[in-house]
Amino acid sequence: MTPGQPRWRRRKDARPAEIVTAALEVFAERGFAAARLDDIAARAGVSKGALYLYFETKQELFEAVVRDTVLPDLDAVEQVATNLELPFRQLAPMLAARLALLLTTSSLPAVAKMVIAESRNFPDLARVWHDQVVSRALGVLTGVVKAAQARGEVRPGDPRFHALSIAGPMLMGVLWREVLEPVGAEPIDLPALAMQHVETALVGLLTPEARA
Amino acid sequence: MTPGQPRWRRRKDARPAEIVTAALEVFAERGFAAARLDDIAARAGVSKGALYLYFETKQELFEAVVRDTVLPDLDAVEQVATNLELPFRQLAPMLAARLALLLTTSSLPAVAKMVIAESRNFPDLARVWHDQVVSRALGVLTGVVKAAQARGEVRPGDPRFHALSIAGPMLMGVLWREVLEPVGAEPIDLPALAMQHVETALVGLLTPEARA
DNA sequence: CGTAAATAACTGACCAGTCAGTTATCAATG
DNA sequence: CATTGATAACTGACTGGTCAGTTATTTACG
């Protein structure tokens, strides 16, 4: 024993953030159900009991992860998207690039995968995800499409479906990377996919006049 | 006690199929890890021990589910897709309709969701899924696109990306239905999405000459 | 000191996989 | 047409291990 060093420190205000960071990692690696609180605690440098000083249950910890680590990322994309003034032809590639960056650098895909995984057994997780992430993101995209339709830039049709036409391949690419690449599938270049898809989708979505 | 009725019957040849059916239901409802073999057994009308007469482990049972219930569905779609002769403009909507039907009536989406869910903790599951389902399905679609490019019907570009452009929104629609609708999200009309998307994608993918 | 932060040992519930024992079924026999 | 083994299908209680959440105790620190 080195008696000069205390075995631990009281750090009431630093703990929550450290725990949330550790929780994000472990949740992403193992999924909600299979994530062990002991592992999260160890990675955060505390004991399991300490977790319960700051979070009442495992679920509450997950909600904190979404709130603290995913929502800020989403805000950044939303910022770009609400430039409704820009012509769709220019806005779409910007959005796609921003999104591709987010999906390759942030932990959003890992959390998304986890929510898909556990939605049936932990519906509260899915509800939080839907209310705070998906419906907001899709709402923004749908709004962009609708505005472009109003300006005559985008062909008629359900704007929500158009939004899915744009976002779907990205999701598929992400899932490919998260689920299949780890077991040996041929890798996908996500930004390249985003660029080629946006090009294709633009031709398909724009009115003949707007293509000029 | 009604002594005339036996407590159970020996039905060696009927059991495996019944167990696989029950397993599909429970796996789809709860995911692989959370599915209880006791539940599967109960739903199949046998004891847990009986499961082990026909399947060595839980994983082997899952593989049987894929083999017996998913692959036949896939074969049917593959049939349509290998009509490589047909012009892409006609083949694509047919494929989309067939796929939409499959995704709304079969159990494929539920199994897919499960695989996504458990891929990290049970990589073998994901490998089976990739080798036997995804890579085959995507291969067929990529082949169709490539053939159409060779005939000058489809614009240049990575045919694999084009395939993802086509299939992605369908996957997104399916996940929406599986994950978010159960927790209160606004429902999506999957066949309608398929039709509108294929229309959009066709315009985007076809060469100007092929659009005639 | 007092007290709040943190620990570590503990509890209770859960479940995959096992196995000793039970019972349906059927072929052989009287 | 019984009766009787023999056999293999089937059962259900049990084991060993895991893990969320609890609590009695220790320790940092104002």
Side-chain angles (χ1 to χ4, degrees):
Chain A
M1 277 297 148
T2 39
Q5 299 298 325
R7 291 209 285 124
W8 42 265
R9 309 229 177 189
R10 311 173 124 216
R11 292 166 59 235
K12 186 182 168 66
D13 41 341
R15 295 295 189 212
E18 292 172 0
I19 292 170
V20 164
T21 303
L24 170 62
E25 289 176 24
V26 179
F27 280 149
E29 275 171 28
R30 323 258 313 197
F32 182 77
R36 272 168 298 194
L37 292 182
D38 274 317
D39 283 356
I40 294 175
R43 217 174 283 204
V46 295
S47 70
K48 184 165 65 162
L51 263 46
Y52 284 87
L53 296 173
Y54 301 102
F55 304 95
E56 297 225 329
T57 62
K58 203 180 182 185
Q59 286 214 21
E60 205 200 279
L61 182 52
F62 169 75
E63 283 167 29
V65 168
V66 172
R67 190 173 44 247
D68 296 358
T69 73
V70 175
L71 291 186
D73 284 343
L74 194 61
D75 289 341
V77 177
E78 210 164 24
Q79 213 73 34
V80 179
T82 43
N83 280 327
L84 293 178
E85 324 303 327
L86 233 57
F88 189 73
R89 205 176 58 244
Q90 290 167 31
L91 183 57
M94 279 178 54
L95 266 177
R98 197 89 181 69
L99 199 63
L101 180 70
L102 179 63
L103 294 179
T104 44
T105 58
S106 82
S107 49
L108 196 142
V111 180
K113 195 191 106 183
M114 201 198 84
V115 172
I116 293 169
E118 315 277 1
S119 60
R120 191 92 61 179
N121 299 316
F122 302 90
D124 287 348
L125 266 53
R127 209 164 352 248
V128 169
W129 189 254
H130 171 258
D131 296 348
Q132 306 206 9
V133 181
V134 179
S135 87
R136 243 182 72 196
L138 196 68
V140 170
L141 194 52
T142 305
V144 169
V145 170
K146 215 181 281 184
Q149 282 178 322
R151 292 196 303 266
E153 294 179 27
V154 165
R155 289 144 41 95
D158 187 332
R160 198 143 144 274
F161 287 171
H162 279 333
L164 292 176
S165 285
I166 297 168
M170 308 292 249
L171 176 67
M172 190 156 182
V174 165
L175 288 177
W176 185 280
R177 212 195 46 192
E178 289 283 322
V179 174
L180 300 179
E181 283 183 21
V183 297
E186 201 186 326
I188 281 187
D189 180 345
L190 218 53
L193 166 63
M195 285 302 104
Q196 179 172 321
H197 173 65
V198 124
E199 209 174 306
T200 307
L202 265 183
V203 177
L205 288 170
L206 292 177
T207 52
E209 306 85 59
R211 269 186 230 143
Chain B
M1 279 296 153
T2 41
Q5 299 298 325
R7 291 209 286 122
W8 45 266
R9 310 228 179 187
R10 318 171 116 218
R11 292 167 57 236
K12 185 185 170 67
D13 41 339
R15 294 295 190 212
E18 292 171 359
I19 292 171
V20 164
T21 303
L24 170 62
E25 289 176 23
V26 178
F27 281 149
E29 275 170 27
R30 321 259 313 202
F32 182 77
R36 273 166 296 193
L37 292 183
D38 275 315
D39 283 356
I40 294 175
R43 217 175 284 205
V46 295
S47 70
K48 185 165 62 164
L51 262 45
Y52 285 86
L53 297 174
Y54 300 103
F55 305 94
E56 296 223 329
T57 62
K58 202 181 183 184
Q59 287 214 22
E60 205 200 278
L61 182 52
F62 169 75
E63 284 167 28
V65 167
V66 172
R67 190 172 45 247
D68 296 357
T69 73
V70 176
L71 290 186
D73 285 342
L74 194 60
D75 289 340
V77 177
E78 211 163 25
Q79 213 74 33
V80 178
T82 42
N83 280 326
L84 293 178
E85 324 303 327
L86 233 56
F88 189 72
R89 208 176 56 244
Q90 289 166 32
L91 182 57
M94 280 178 53
L95 267 177
R98 196 90 182 68
L99 198 63
L101 181 70
L102 179 63
L103 295 179
T104 44
T105 59
S106 81
S107 48
L108 197 141
V111 180
K113 195 192 105 183
M114 201 197 84
V115 172
I116 293 170
E118 315 278 359
S119 60
R120 191 93 60 177
N121 299 318
F122 303 92
D124 287 348
L125 266 54
R127 214 169 342 255
V128 169
W129 188 253
H130 171 258
D131 295 348
Q132 306 205 9
V133 180
V134 179
S135 88
R136 240 182 75 197
L138 196 68
V140 169
L141 194 52
T142 305
V144 169
V145 169
K146 217 181 280 184
Q149 283 179 322
R151 292 196 304 265
E153 294 179 26
V154 165
R155 291 144 41 96
D158 187 332
R160 199 144 141 274
F161 287 172
H162 279 334
L164 292 175
S165 285
I166 296 167
M170 309 291 248
L171 176 67
M172 190 155 182
V174 165
L175 288 177
W176 185 280
R177 212 195 46 192
E178 289 283 321
V179 175
L180 299 178
E181 283 183 21
V183 297
E186 200 186 328
I188 281 187
D189 180 345
L190 219 52
L193 166 64
M195 286 303 104
Q196 179 173 323
H197 173 65
V198 123
E199 208 175 304
T200 307
L202 265 183
V203 176
L205 288 171
L206 291 176
T207 53
E209 306 85 61
R211 269 186 229 144

